[in-house]
């Protein structure tokens, strides 16, 4: 079963690769043959989209710019830091020029940032006072949050990782198993046997379904290839018949004398093979 599935997968991958190669070659040839036409169509389509909804196009451009910035944020920041260290006077001049041209916008951003920070601090203070009020109503001591140092956070995270990432050895598992209620060996063996049989049945059904799906995909590909070849042959025959018809018409138009005889039927028997009837005196 595994060998059949592997062979079917290999055949399917090869067919898909050949199809992609044919499609890429066709696209490349078509683009080379109609490059100017495709470029003009692309320009016209972009112009029509901009004329139909300019705000949407601007929003898409801003979104693309933002995505590019998010992908290359660290590189851009590193480049800015390098430029700042190499040319501090140029960076200072650029900042002063930008601030002079956009002073109102810069001040507005600073006000918005300060307002958001103050609002967050007020929300945190309200939540803390509400917690203290509820705790005092319950008669509990007020919470005493304290800041932890970097050293304390390091040891806390290390202990948490060690606790949650602990791996149990076979000896630990055997010790816990002996400490708990022991299961009869026959029941445990039956359970293991049933689990193994269920897993094998499930895997076999999955393999059969996968093999059937691969064969179905290969059959569809073979049918498409056969239909494509039949269509190509039909077009070739139609083209040959069309060229023959054109040749006959040109031949009849340029002929100076009429045809002397018609070609015999190729399916008819040869005249020499027909029996001769005796005539005359020899009859």
């Amino acid at each position: 079963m595994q060998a059949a599935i592997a062979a079917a997968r290999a055949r399917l991958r090869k067919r898909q690769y050949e199809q992609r190669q044919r499609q890429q070659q066709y696209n490349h040839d078509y683009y080379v043959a109609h490059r100017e036409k495709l470029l003009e169509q692309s320009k016209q389509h972009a112009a029509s989209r901009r004329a139909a909804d300019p705000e949407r196009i601007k929003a898409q451009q801003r979104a693309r710019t933002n995505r590019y910035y998010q992908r290359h944020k660290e590189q851009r920041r590193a480049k800015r830091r390098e430029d700042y260290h190499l040319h501090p006077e140029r960076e200072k001049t650029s900042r002063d020029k930008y601030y002079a041209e956009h002073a109102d916008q810069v001040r507005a951003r600073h006000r918005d940032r300060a307002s958001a920070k103050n609002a967050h601090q007020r929300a945190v203070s309200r939540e803390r006072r509400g917690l203290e009020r509820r705790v005092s109503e319950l008669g509990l001591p007020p919470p005493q949050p304290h800041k932890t140092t970097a050293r304390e956070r390091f040891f806390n995270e290390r202990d948490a990782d060690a606790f949650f990432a602990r791996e149990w050895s076979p000896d630990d598992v055997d010790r816990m198993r002996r400490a708990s209620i022991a299961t009869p060996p026959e029941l445990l063996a039956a359970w293991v046997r049933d689990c193994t049989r269920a897993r094998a049945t499930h895997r076999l059904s999955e393999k059969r379904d996968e093999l059937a799906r691969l064969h179905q995909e290969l059959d569809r590909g073979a049918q498409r290839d056969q239909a494509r070849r039949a269509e190509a042959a039909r077009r070739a025959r139609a083209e040959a018949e069309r060229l023959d018809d054109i040749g006959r018409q040109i031949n009849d138009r340029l002929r100076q004398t009429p045809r002397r005889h018609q070609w015999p039927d190729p399916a008819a028997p040869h005249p020499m093979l027909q029996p001769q009837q005796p005539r005359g005196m020899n009859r």
Side-chain angles (χ1 to χ4, degrees), residues 57-241:
I57 299 301
K58 291 181 181 179
Q60 292 177 353
Q61 291 176 351
R62 288 193 296 269
R64 285 196 298 270
T65 303
N66 186 29
R67 288 195 299 269
Y68 178 84
Y69 174 76
Q70 295 298 331
R71 289 196 302 268
H72 304 83
K73 182 166 54 177
E74 296 301 328
Q75 294 88 334
R76 290 169 62 90
R77 289 180 176 178
K79 184 65 169 57
R80 289 292 302 274
R81 288 193 296 267
E82 183 179 359
D83 292 342
Y84 176 77
H85 291 297
L86 293 178
H87 309 285
E89 66 283 353
R90 188 174 62 186
E91 290 293 322
K92 184 178 183 303
T93 304
S94 177
R95 288 197 304 271
D96 295 341
K97 180 180 178 181
Y98 180 83
Y99 184 80
E101 294 177 355
H102 307 83
D104 296 338
Q105 299 178 7
V106 172
R107 285 194 291 267
R109 285 200 298 268
H110 288 174
R111 287 195 299 268
D112 295 342
R113 192 179 298 113
S115 177
K117 183 177 180 181
N118 295 334
H120 176 70
Q121 291 178 351
R122 288 194 296 270
V124 171
S125 299
R126 285 196 300 271
E127 185 178 359
R128 179 175 55 80
R129 289 194 297 269
L131 178 61
E132 292 176 354
R133 188 184 312 108
R134 290 192 297 272
V135 168
S136 63
E137 291 175 356
L138 295 174
L140 299 175
Q144 298 179 356
H146 64 283
K147 295 182 179 180
T148 58
T149 62
R151 181 181 178 82
E152 292 177 349
R153 288 194 299 271
F154 171 77
F155 285 112
N156 293 339
E157 293 176 358
R158 187 193 62 180
D159 295 340
D161 294 339
F163 177 79
F164 290 107
R166 179 180 179 182
E167 296 182 359
W168 298 93
S169 63
D171 295 337
D172 297 336
V173 175
D174 293 339
R175 191 180 306 108
M176 290 187 298
R177 184 176 297 172
R178 288 194 300 269
S180 60
I181 300 177
T183 304
E186 59 276 8
L187 294 181
L188 183 59
W191 178 77
V192 172
R193 185 172 57 253
D194 295 340
C195 292
T196 304
R197 185 181 295 111
R199 283 194 296 269
T201 304
H202 177 67
R203 290 175 182 174
L204 184 59
S205 63
E206 286 184 345
K207 298 300 181 182
R208 288 175 178 173
D209 295 341
E210 184 178 3
L211 184 60
R213 180 183 61 80
L214 291 173
H215 281 304
Q216 186 178 5
E217 185 67 23
L218 290 172
D219 293 340
R220 284 200 297 265
Q223 293 175 3
R224 288 194 297 267
D225 294 342
Q226 184 178 2
R228 190 184 304 109
R229 288 193 294 268
E231 180 65 18
R234 186 190 65 78
R235 292 181 180 178
R237 289 195 300 269
E239 182 66 15
E241 293 176 359

